[in-house]
Amino acid sequence: MSKNWTRSLRDRLQQEIPMEHLLPDTLPKYVDSYVYLFGVLTLAAFVWIILSGTILAIFGPDWWHVSPVGHFFNSLHFWSIQSFFFFMILHLWAQFLMAAWRDGRHFTWIGGWLMFLVSILAGLTGYLSQNNFDAQWIAVQGKDAMNAAGIGGFFNLLNFGQMYSLHIFVLPLILILLLGGHLLLIRKHGVVEPLPPDPKSEVRQG
Amino acid sequence: MKQSNSATPDRQVYANSRFEQIPYDLVKEMTWAIVGMGALVLILAGVFSTPDVPMLTAKQVASQDPMVLVNTELSDLASTGEIAQYGPPYNHNNGSVQAIGGFAPQTWLGVTIPVNSAQDNVLNPLQRLAAINPAVSSTLSQWRTASGRTQQAWIQAVQQQLPKATIHNGRLILPQSGTNLGPVPAMVNDYLALANSGLLESAIDAHNGPAPELDRTRSLLLLQGKADHIYAGKLNMKGEQWGIIKETGNYPGAVWLWFYTLLYQIPPYSTAANADLLVVLTVLLVTAVLVFIPFIPGLRSIPRRLRVYRLIWRNYYREQEGQR
Ligand code: HEM
C-alpha cells in the first residue's frame, strides 16, 4: 500500500508542532522581560512595511514624488523600516545575550541572520528604487563594491527595473517565507530556557 | 533533559511544559503590538516626513557647472575617463579592477554590461540629435572619417584650452580657434545643446535594449564622477561625511550598515586601493562567524560570561535561588 502523502504531512505537523504549541495560551513563568517584545515589535513593524509598501506599489514609483498623500505613505514606509531595523537589532542582541541558539535552536538563530541579511538587501534595493538623488548617489557609490565582489555584473545597482522588481516582489517574498520558518521553529522548540544558574554564584542548582 | 514520555514514546517532552506556566494571549499581544507600532510610525511619518531631493540631471549640470559636463564629454570621447578605463563588468580595461594578489572576483564573469563611453555617452546621442538637426551630421562625419590619432590630437588641443575657456549661452568660447581643433568645438556645443534640452539621458539610454527607461546604467555612469560628487558634497553626502549610510538632510539612512561603512574610515581599509574588496571580504567573514556562533567553542560562551542574561531572567533566578 502506498503511503498517503497528505496524511503523513498532517501527522508530521501534528507531532512536530501541535496547535497548542503553535498558538499558546500559557508561557513558562521565566518569560518575564521586555526583551521578549523586541521580536514581536519587529514583526509588527514588518506588517506596516508591507501595508505601506503595498499602497506605494499600487500607485507606482512616480506617484509619491508628486502627490502629498503619496509622500505621506512614503514617510510611513520609511519610518516603518527604521523601526523594523531598530527593533530587529535589539532583538538580535537580546537573543545573543540569552544565547538563544541553545538546545536545537541554532536554525532559529541562523534563519534570523538570513532575515537580517535579506532585509539589508531589501533596504538597499529600496533606496535604489527611489528615483531621487539618494538613489542615484547610492547607485554610483555602491556599484564599485558590488563590482569588486564580482556580483555587479548581474546585480546592477544602476538598473532601476531590476532593483525595483527585486524590492517589491522577490525580496519581500523571501523574507515572508523565512519569517514563516522562523516563527514555526520558535513555536516548535518553545521559548528558550534560562541558562543554568551561574556556577560561580554561592547558590548552586541541584 | 530530553527524556521521552512513556505515553507517546516517539515524542519528546515539550521543553516549555517542564516549567511553571503563566497565562498568556498571543493573538492579543500581537494585535496590540501592530496597533502600537502603527501609532508610532504614523507619528514619526507625520512629524518628520521624508527627504526627496530630485535626481541630478545632465540638464542641471549643463546649466550649473557646464565645464564639468564638457570635461566629462571630452574624456569619455577620448576614452581616458574613469568608466572608459574601468574594466569588468563594463569593459576589458583594468583601471578600477580590485584584487588581493591574484584574487580578483571582479574579473570572473567578464564583461556583462558592455559600456563604450565614447560611443554610448557621446557619439550615439549626437547621432540621435543629427536626425533633428542635420548640421550635426556633417560634424559627426568629419569626426568619423578622421584617424584615431587625429581625433585624439583634436581633443587634446581643446582640452589644453579649457582652463581659459568660458561658456556663454550654452556655447563653448575658446581663447583660440583653429583647424587643429577639428569638429570637437562643434561637438561640445551640440552636446551642451542636447543636455540643455533635457534629452541627453534619454538619448544615451535609448540604446539599452527594449525598455531603456528601466535601465539607466549608461546615463548614470555619465554623471557618476565629478558631477555627482559636487552635488553630493553640497548635500553633505560624501563618504568622508559618512554619507553612504546617511540620507540627504539629517535623516537616518541605512544606519544598520554602520559596521560596513566604519571599515572604510579606518586603516588599512581607508588607504587601500582595493578597499571595496577588503571591506566586503571582512564583512562576509565577520558575518559568517556571527551566523555560525552556536558552533564555535569559546565564542558561543561569551553571553554566559557577559552575564546580562542574569538581568533578563532576574525574577527566575531570584525565585530559584530563594528556594534553596
Ligand atoms: C525579520 C526579522 C525578525 C522577526 C520579525 C523576528 C521575530 C521573532 C519573534 C516574534 C520571536 C519570538 C519572540 C521573541 O523572542 O522576541 C523571535 C525569536 C527568536 N529570534 Fe527572531 N525575528 C527576526 C530576526 C531575527 C534575527 C536577526 C535573529 C538573530 C540572528 C533572530 C533570532 C531569534 C531567536 C534565536 C529566537 C528564539 C528565541 C527563544 O527561543 O526564546 N531573529 N523572533
Side-chain angles (χ1 to χ4, degrees), chain A residues 36 39 88 91 95 105 109 112-113 115 179 182 186 191-192:
Chain A
Y36 287 103
M88 178 160 37
H91 174 63
Q95 301 310 329
R105 291 178 183 80
W109 171 262
W113 266 99
M115 283 193 287
L179 189 55
H182 196 64
I186 292 160
V191 189
V192 72

Side-chain angles (χ1 to χ4, degrees), chain A residues 35-44 46 84 88 91-92 95 98 100-101 105 108-116 119 175 179 182-183 186 189-192, chain B residues 30:
Chain A
V35 304
Y36 287 103
L37 277 179
F38 295 151
V40 172
L41 290 173
T42 312
L43 187 54
F46 187 66
F84 173 72
M88 178 160 37
H91 174 63
L92 195 164
Q95 301 310 329
M98 299 194 279
W101 52 72
R105 291 178 183 80
T108 321
W109 171 262
I110 293 172
W113 266 99
L114 282 181
M115 283 193 287
F116 184 55
S119 303
L175 258 185
L179 189 55
H182 196 64
L183 297 175
I186 292 160
H189 292 291
V191 189
V192 72
Chain B
M30 200 57 237

Side-chain angles (χ1 to χ4, degrees), chain B residues 245-302:
Chain B
I245 57 166
K246 204 166 143 261
E247 283 233 34
T248 40
N250 285 320
Y251 287 87
V255 280
W256 45 91
L257 294 180
W258 67 270
F259 180 67
Y260 173 78
T261 30
L262 169 77
L263 291 181
Y264 282 97
Q265 323 287 325
I266 55 171
Y269 309 97
S270 54
T271 52
N274 54 359
D276 286 312
L277 183 56
L278 289 177
V279 168
V280 167
L281 290 178
T282 309
V283 169
L284 285 179
L285 187 75
V286 171
T287 307
V289 167
L290 286 165
V291 170
F292 295 110
I293 211 168
F295 310 108
I296 307 176
L299 291 183
R300 65 180 171 197
S301 307
I302 292 174

